[in-house]
Amino acid sequence: MASMSDFTIYLDECLDRDQLIALLRREGWTVISPRDVGSLKWRDEEHLEFCAQHGYTLLTRDADDFSALHHQWQAQGKQHAGILAVYAERDASKHMSDYDIVRAIKNILTFGIPITNQFIVLNHWR
């Protein structure tokens, strides 16, 4: 389980935004951006492999694809440091803001929810 202070988040390309990075870092978390490590245009599998190798929790808005990858990895016995997913809401006015995303992650960590090898929908943790 990740603690509040030693948590490293890797953003996939769909959430690689300066405001979100700043908000996550304000919480004291380490944030890895694809722009910083040269992983732009990688396939989803490559992003997850990179995260698994480095112990990074992946944060994505590409929820369906990473859910499928998570299940594939489980079936193969492969390990990862967790996937935090944001789903688009049917009502666009209810989409999670960057602030909502940070609050959801804080809630998960505060309640001690295990993240390693899990696929967690952040929408449920607002």
Side-chain angles (χ1 to χ4, degrees), residues 7-68:
F7 189 49
T8 300
I9 300 169
Y10 174 89
L11 303 175
D12 80 346
E13 293 177 43
C14 60
L15 284 175
D16 189 4
R17 301 189 297 262
D18 291 336
Q19 176 179 303
L20 180 57
I21 291 168
L23 291 171
L24 293 166
R25 287 182 176 157
R26 188 181 310 157
E27 295 300 324
W29 302 323
T30 302
V31 181
I32 309 297
S33 161
R35 291 176 284 166
D36 297 337
V37 296
S39 59
L40 291 171
K41 306 294 182 198
W42 280 7
R43 294 183 344 265
D44 292 341
E45 175 88 23
E46 293 172 304
H47 288 291
L48 190 55
E49 280 285 348
F50 180 78
C51 289
Q53 291 170 359
H54 292 89
Y56 302 155
T57 298
L58 188 137
L59 177 58
T60 184
R61 197 178 289 270
D62 193 5
D64 288 335
D65 289 345
F66 278 100
S67 176

Side-chain angles (χ1 to χ4, degrees), residues 60-87:
T60 184
R61 197 178 289 270
D62 193 5
D64 288 335
D65 289 345
F66 278 100
S67 176
L69 268 176
H70 166 73
H71 291 295
Q72 178 185 352
W73 277 41
Q74 278 188 317
Q76 296 171 353
K78 294 172 83 173
Q79 307 285 310
H80 60 77
I83 300 168
L84 303 176
V86 177
Y87 278 94

Side-chain angles (χ1 to χ4, degrees), residues 89-103:
E89 301 285 350
R90 289 178 193 247
D91 179 349
S93 70
K94 295 182 181 178
H95 286 326
M96 290 186 79
S97 70
D98 291 344
Y99 294 96
D100 293 331
I101 292 169
V102 171
R103 184 173 32 255

